[in-house]
Amino acid sequence: MRDLLGCLSACSSPSRMGKWLVEGRTAAAIQTRRFLIDCLHALSESKQKKCVHALRSADSSRMDSLIHELVAHELCRRFGLSPEFEPTVKSGRTPDMLVTVGGQSYILDVFVRHTPQATQTRDANGCIWTADGGEAAREIAEIVAAKASRYRDAAQPLLLVGFTGDQHLKPGDFERALFGASSGDGNLEQNFPWRIQKLHSSGGVLLPFRGEERPRHQNLSALIACNWFDSANREQPGKRFHCLVLHHWSPTVALRVGTFDPFPELVWEARPAGAFLPHVGGNPQTVARFGPGTAMEFGEYWGDAPW
């Protein structure tokens, strides 16, 4: 634990999470520090040293990225996806990891997205309010497009893990970033993608360009939208983990449905005339706790009954 605290303390501009990990004395902070040490120890010795060195010299943004990369690696490890941390792939690039699902290898890259500053206002009591006109979806879409383009010529298909950096961002922001609309919006459910393609929507980075039929970024198999948050359960404090798996409707290589079961996922049903119908399977209230060893404990999380 000293090594982890030491490298986080050495940062000249630690992130908010980094400061909480170093200074926190609550049960939740102590549990999270221990969990991250376990995440670190799951790496090979050489990768551990590399990660610790990177944390020591990281700015606040890079610190948050590295912490969440460790969490994503641990998630994949516990789901049996044999993650390899920071490999070198054939293109000469170094993604965050490689994972294997059903014998198929995937590049997996992680990013953390915070609520855009332009959408935030603070009232006289210090409470933050957001008024998002599509800025969050557009920013996420730009990140997705950049990463998909970066690995377009790689031998393996791509998975992205996107973390919400605060509680103002929601899974719907990731859906709008990919598809131009979120679950429950008729524009997503009626004659997709042709109806939404004609609208000026925020995001929609996977939609075909106007006048074209082929969707963009087909090397992206799926995006896993994640929220690693503090439970409001005072009797069992600590972090909880939620994710929503958002599949591309026409990828070059599909991600196996149920890879992250029992977390919810959005999958697509082919319809006539090249249209697709989305289905969200699983319980959207399902969250997990990282237990000892490789255990994952699942429960339902509601605002008035936090698990």
Side-chain angles (χ1 to χ4, degrees), residues 134-175:
E135 292 88 351
R138 283 192 289 271
E139 286 193 7
I140 294 170
E142 290 172 0
I143 295 171
V144 170
K147 288 184 176 292
S149 297
R150 178 181 178 83
Y151 295 108
R152 180 177 51 205
D153 298 325
Q156 302 90 345
L158 175 65
L159 298 176
L160 293 178
V161 174
F163 281 90
T164 57
D166 54 63
Q167 297 309 305
H168 298 292
L169 282 180
K170 304 298 180 185
D173 293 311
F174 290 90
E175 292 180 79

Side-chain angles (χ1 to χ4, degrees), residues 60-103:
S60 59
S61 177
R62 180 59 178 146
M63 176 185 288
D64 271 356
S65 293
L66 284 166
I67 289 171
H68 287 87
E69 285 167 28
L70 287 172
V71 176
H73 181 273
E74 187 64 14
L75 174 74
C76 293
R77 189 176 77 89
R78 296 196 183 203
F79 272 92
L81 307 187
S82 305
E84 179 186 355
F85 195 75
E86 294 191 350
T88 300
V89 297
K90 188 175 180 180
S91 63
R93 302 189 184 281
T94 304
D96 294 327
M97 64 194 82
L98 283 176
V99 298
T100 302
V101 182

Side-chain angles (χ1 to χ4, degrees), residues 36-289:
L36 288 173
I37 290 169
D38 290 341
C39 293
L40 194 62
H41 288 168
L43 306 181
S44 66
E45 186 174 349
S46 62
K47 296 295 175 67
Q48 286 183 44
K49 292 179 179 178
K50 185 177 179 180
C51 189
V52 167
H53 177 76
L55 281 169
R56 286 183 181 278
S57 57
D59 59 15
S60 59
S61 177
R62 180 59 178 146
M63 176 185 288
D64 271 356
S65 293
L66 284 166
I67 289 171
H68 287 87
E69 285 167 28
L70 287 172
V71 176
H73 181 273
E74 187 64 14
L75 174 74
C76 293
R77 189 176 77 89
R78 296 196 183 203
F79 272 92
L81 307 187
S82 305
E84 179 186 355
F85 195 75
E86 294 191 350
T88 300
V89 297
K90 188 175 180 180
S91 63
R93 302 189 184 281
T94 304
D96 294 327
M97 64 194 82
L98 283 176
V99 298
T100 302
V101 182
Q104 171 66 53
S105 179
Y106 295 82
I107 288 171
L108 188 148
D109 236 27
V110 180
F111 66 92
V112 184
R113 193 69 233 148
H114 294 268
T115 304
Q117 289 290 333
T119 69
Q120 300 182 31
T121 58
R122 190 182 297 271
D123 65 20
N125 297 318
C127 296
I128 296 177
W129 300 86
T130 61
D132 191 326
E135 292 88 351
R138 283 192 289 271
E139 286 193 7
I140 294 170
E142 290 172 0
I143 295 171
V144 170
K147 288 184 176 292
S149 297
R150 178 181 178 83
Y151 295 108
R152 180 177 51 205
D153 298 325
Q156 302 90 345
L158 175 65
L159 298 176
L160 293 178
V161 174
F163 281 90
T164 57
D166 54 63
Q167 297 309 305
H168 298 292
L169 282 180
K170 304 298 180 185
D173 293 311
F174 290 90
E175 292 180 79
R176 285 185 288 274
L178 297 185
F179 314 123
S182 58
S183 302
D185 186 329
N187 292 313
L188 189 68
E189 298 170 357
Q190 297 180 27
N191 201 31
F192 183 87
W194 315 123
R195 177 184 174 91
I196 191 70
Q197 180 193 30
K198 298 176 182 178
L199 303 177
H200 293 282
S201 60
S202 300
V205 70
L206 302 185
L207 294 173
F209 287 115
R210 286 197 177 191
E212 298 184 5
E213 296 186 357
R214 184 178 179 180
R216 287 179 282 169
H217 306 302
Q218 290 178 285
N219 63 315
L220 174 62
S221 298
L223 183 150
I224 300 95
C226 300
N227 186 8
W228 188 47
F229 65 99
D230 294 315
S231 174
N233 188 333
R234 295 185 178 181
E235 296 182 0
Q236 298 187 62
K239 290 286 189 181
R240 301 293 187 270
F241 190 92
H242 176 270
C243 76
L244 171 62
V245 182
L246 302 172
H247 293 262
H248 197 308
W249 69 93
S250 183
T252 303
V253 178
L255 174 68
R256 184 180 64 196
V257 173
T259 295
F260 292 96
D261 183 69
F263 286 122
E265 57 188 326
L266 187 152
V267 298
W268 299 91
E269 175 190 349
R271 306 292 287 175
F276 290 83
L277 183 67
H279 296 281
V280 178
N283 184 349
Q285 306 304 134
T286 296
V287 299
R289 279 195 300 238

Side-chain angles (χ1 to χ4, degrees), residues 282-306:
N283 184 349
Q285 306 304 134
T286 296
V287 299
R289 279 195 300 238
F290 290 97
T294 59
M296 293 282 284
E297 303 168 0
F298 295 94
E300 292 186 10
Y301 193 96
W302 300 87
D304 57 351

